[in-house]
Amino acid sequence: MKTFKIIVLLGIVVILSCGVFAQTPSAGFKVGAAKIDITPAPGSAGNRGGMMGGGRGGMMGGGMPGRGEVPGAVAGGVPGAAMGGGMPGGMVGARGDANSIGRSGAAGRGGMMGRGAGMMGGRGGGASGGYPGADGILDHLYARAIVIDNGTTGAALVSVDAAGVGDNIWSQLGTRIEQELNIPAKNLMINPTHTHSGSGSASVEQLFNLIKEAKGKLQPARIGYGTGVSYINVYRDYIDPKTRKWWEGANYDGPSDKTVAVINFETLDGEPIAVYFNYACHAVVTGNTDMVSGDWPGEAERYIEDSFDDKCIALFSVGAQGDQNPLYFQQTFDLREIRIKDYASRGQDISNSMPSGGAGLNKQDPTVKRLLDQQKMMIKSMGQFMGEEVKRVMRLMDPNYMSTSGKIVAAQKMLSLPGRTRIGQGRAGVDAQYTDSADVSLRLSLLMIDDIALGGGSAEIYNMIAQRFKRESPVGRSIFVSMANGSSNTGYIPDDAAYGHQTFEVLSSRCKPGYAETGIVNGLLDLIKEVKQAK
């Protein structure tokens, strides 16, 4: 996208074309894209493992590998952070694989909600149910890549149908593409789709070869940007009208960004190459099925690709979804009530510490079966609605306003925040006490492609933080990518106003209130200033 500067010299108007910042001419954009299937084989360790390897409890809320073991693809949680994003971390496996994504090994330690990464039982990973793949494969998982080159440098956008992408994956992959493909490590933006039904493993080698394949397909291209809207998400911090306590639910009055941001890549003749789309919503619909699935983002990606006869690679990046759930989530709530009653009949109270996935559900019960089948249908509906909106935005882009050349610049920094450790248990609706702890940190990333700014944070971040970043950004075409470029030990990161909520995201956050929101926003704005001054 070009802007124009008008200079008047001796009564003569001279119009100079320039980018959003001053930049030297480039040879023109070239773009290539590719995807690979990363679905685990039935019964493999990738199926038996937990969503995010190697932690001590909580789904994403920590970054402390358990007992000296190699951290998994996404560092695990902190003690007591029993649930995150709707599912507990580590689940069955405790030993993560340093070269895998969204995978733990089969060996687990721990009790029901204990310090080990095991969720449902002793040392082994053989508990029935409660993890993706226990009941087979619903749909396939993929990793996708888009490589952009401007004749001077290159960048890679990567998305993986997995729960998370850890620091080890990000750092090793960045090193390899810089050394072997001449793509600077800082120019890599990799994210998971954050499907809670993903246990596929993708090694650094697989992802490197994916990016290499995409680079091998480079061709002259033009790049466009547009936005649409979708109403499939909703704010999930909610006061239950029955208990009058904080819980999860569809809070129609809460803040929720409905923006679908779209970057379209096509040939100079208008043929599709790839599309990158961003939206803030958890992928948690099929978690109770215990089946491997890309959830609604996977359905959206495949729907778009199928619409273009698989000539277009559709890559999803998750926005600031820390407090955003699918709008239509009733089956999960109904199944939760069924499990609470079932466990209560055996003398166990799980009302404030739900087991993972579909653990404990009688899947032969007609009501349970119907609800699970509805979840499977729901992701197709959501995927189609999202896919249609992305296609609509693509269709409305005017080729005359798409960029055929421009700068590619990037910058990164680590943000340190005052930390805290929670004392006590309880998923939500309870008071919590904390002790001071060491600072926690997350990685902030900025990748600019011409006048499009992709700002990212390596944690699950509340939506209002991203909205503030986009509002204050000097770059009008700004996108926020959550869980970008590795993992962090922060847990969820609420916005300042949300710290009074007794929800599991806020209770389990390792960030002290009052620091993270401004730190993230100002940190990203500083990165924009940094690349502007460097040009």
Side-chain angles (χ1 to χ4, degrees):
M1 180 68 179
K2 303 300 180 186
T3 58
F4 296 90
K5 184 181 293 183
I6 301 177
I7 302 176
V8 179
L9 298 174
L10 300 177
I12 301 175
V13 177
V14 181
I15 301 178
L16 302 178
S17 174
C18 60
V20 65
F21 301 128
Q23 53 183 256
T24 57
S26 67
F29 284 130
K30 290 184 178 181
V31 175
K35 76 173 184 177
I36 57 171
D37 192 323
I38 60 168
T39 312
S44 69
N47 271 336
R48 296 196 309 273
M51 286 188 53
M52 311 223 183
R56 296 185 186 176
M59 177 180 139
M60 173 102 186
M64 303 189 301
R67 304 189 185 183
E69 295 163 353
V70 177
V74 172
V78 298
M83 300 284 281
M87 298 183 72
M91 294 187 195
V92 178
R95 297 182 185 274
D97 183 339
N99 294 313
S100 68
I101 288 179
R103 170 184 175 184
S104 297
R109 288 198 187 111
M112 180 75 173
M113 288 283 186
R115 289 169 58 87
M119 168 65 190
M120 285 305 295
R123 298 179 58 86
S128 61
Y131 61 92
D135 289 340
I137 296 170
L138 180 61
D139 53 77
H140 281 227
L141 308 176
Y142 296 89
R144 296 169 169 87
I146 302 170
V147 171
I148 308 102
D149 189 279
N150 67 355
T152 302
T153 189
L157 304 173
V158 181
S159 179
V160 187
D161 290 342
V165 176
D167 273 4
N168 48 344
I169 292 288
W170 167 79
S171 61
Q172 293 176 43
L173 184 61
T175 298
R176 286 203 61 184
I177 64 171
E178 181 165 313
Q179 294 177 346
E180 302 178 45
L181 300 180
N182 201 30
I183 298 174
K186 66 181 181 179
N187 290 8
L188 169 66
M189 184 71 79
I190 182 171
N191 64 266
T193 61
H194 196 44
T195 169
H196 285 45
S197 299
S199 61
S201 84
S203 66
V204 172
E205 187 69 23
Q206 285 177 303
L207 294 175
F208 171 80
N209 288 332
L210 172 68
I211 297 172
K212 183 178 180 180
E213 179 184 351
K215 184 173 182 180
K217 296 179 178 179
L218 288 174
Q219 57 182 312
R222 59 194 184 204
I223 301 174
Y225 172 90
T227 60
V229 294
S230 177
Y231 294 89
I232 64 172
N233 67 347
V234 70
Y235 189 63
R236 71 182 186 182
D237 286 9
Y238 166 85
I239 295 180
D240 189 303
K242 296 179 181 178
T243 65
R244 306 305 302 165
K245 294 182 178 181
W246 284 99
W247 196 248
E248 301 152 65
N251 185 346
Y252 280 60
D253 297 323
S256 183
D257 190 351
K258 308 302 181 183
T259 304
V260 181
V262 178
I263 306 176
N264 186 25
F265 304 88
E266 61 184 37
T267 69
L268 299 181
D269 295 326
E271 294 298 315
I273 299 174
V275 61
Y276 180 97
F277 63 107
N278 175 276
Y279 188 70
C281 182
H282 263 89
V284 291
V285 177
T286 55
N288 295 134
T289 68
D290 290 336
M291 300 183 76
V292 169
S293 173
D295 211 277
W296 72 263
E299 290 288 347
E301 290 169 320
R302 293 193 303 276
Y303 181 83
I304 296 167
E305 290 168 348
D306 180 70
S307 298
F308 290 100
D309 296 323
D310 290 321
K311 296 177 182 177
C312 175
I313 302 297
L315 191 157
F316 172 73
S317 72
V318 63
Q321 72 347 345
D323 51 1
Q324 306 293 308
N325 255 2
L327 175 61
Y328 300 114
F329 205 49
Q330 187 59 45
Q331 292 83 10
T332 301
F333 296 139
D334 291 342
L335 289 166
R336 177 178 292 169
E337 291 303 314
I338 290 172
R339 278 201 288 185
I340 289 173
K341 292 178 181 177
D342 183 51
Y343 275 77
S345 69
R346 302 194 298 270
Q348 291 179 267
D349 181 7
I350 62 167
S351 60
N352 208 10
S353 56
M354 294 300 294
S356 63
L361 284 173
N362 177 9
K363 295 177 183 176
Q364 302 307 311
D365 179 89
T367 300
V368 171
K369 187 177 185 303
R370 171 174 53 81
L371 292 169
L372 293 175
D373 286 342
Q374 287 178 350
Q375 289 181 326
K376 297 171 187 177
M377 291 188 288
M378 187 62 70
I379 63 170
K380 290 186 178 295
S381 299
M382 293 177 64
Q384 183 175 13
F385 281 134
M386 177 59 67
E388 283 296 316
E389 182 63 2
V390 171
K391 288 163 54 184
R392 185 189 71 84
V393 175
M394 294 171 67
R395 186 168 60 249
L396 293 178
M397 289 186 188
D398 187 338
N400 294 312
Y401 293 95
M402 297 176 74
S403 297
T404 57
S405 64
K407 271 281 190 177
I408 297 173
V409 292
Q412 294 176 347
K413 67 183 295 184
M414 293 300 297
L415 175 65
S416 182
L417 300 167
R420 67 180 188 178
T421 298
R422 183 183 175 188
I423 302 171
Q425 296 289 326
R427 177 176 171 84
V430 296
D431 291 326
Q433 294 183 337
Y434 302 87
T435 59
D436 291 343
S437 67
D439 287 356
V440 294
S441 61
L442 73 153
R443 180 175 297 101
L444 300 179
S445 301
L446 175 73
L447 173 62
M448 288 201 62
I449 303 169
D450 194 35
D451 61 352
I452 303 169
L454 294 167
S458 60
E460 295 197 64
I461 295 170
Y462 264 40
N463 198 249
M464 287 299 289
I465 297 177
Q467 290 192 51
R468 179 178 166 186
F469 160 67
K470 291 191 289 184
R471 185 172 61 250
E472 296 184 14
S473 172
V475 181
R477 299 178 167 190
S478 291
I479 298 172
F480 187 90
V481 184
S482 191
M483 304 180 73
N485 288 341
S487 56
S488 72
N489 63 348
T490 59
Y492 283 92
I493 301 183
D495 60 274
D496 290 346
Y499 266 94
H501 301 180
Q502 293 174 341
T503 59
F504 72 88
E505 308 102 319
V506 176
L507 295 179
S508 66
S509 176
R510 296 194 63 211
C511 302
K512 282 186 178 180
Y515 299 93
E517 178 181 325
T518 297
I520 291 171
V521 173
N522 287 349
L524 290 173
L525 297 181
D526 287 345
L527 292 180
I528 293 175
K529 182 178 180 180
E530 177 183 327
V531 300
K532 177 181 178 180
Q533 293 175 339
K535 288 187 175 184

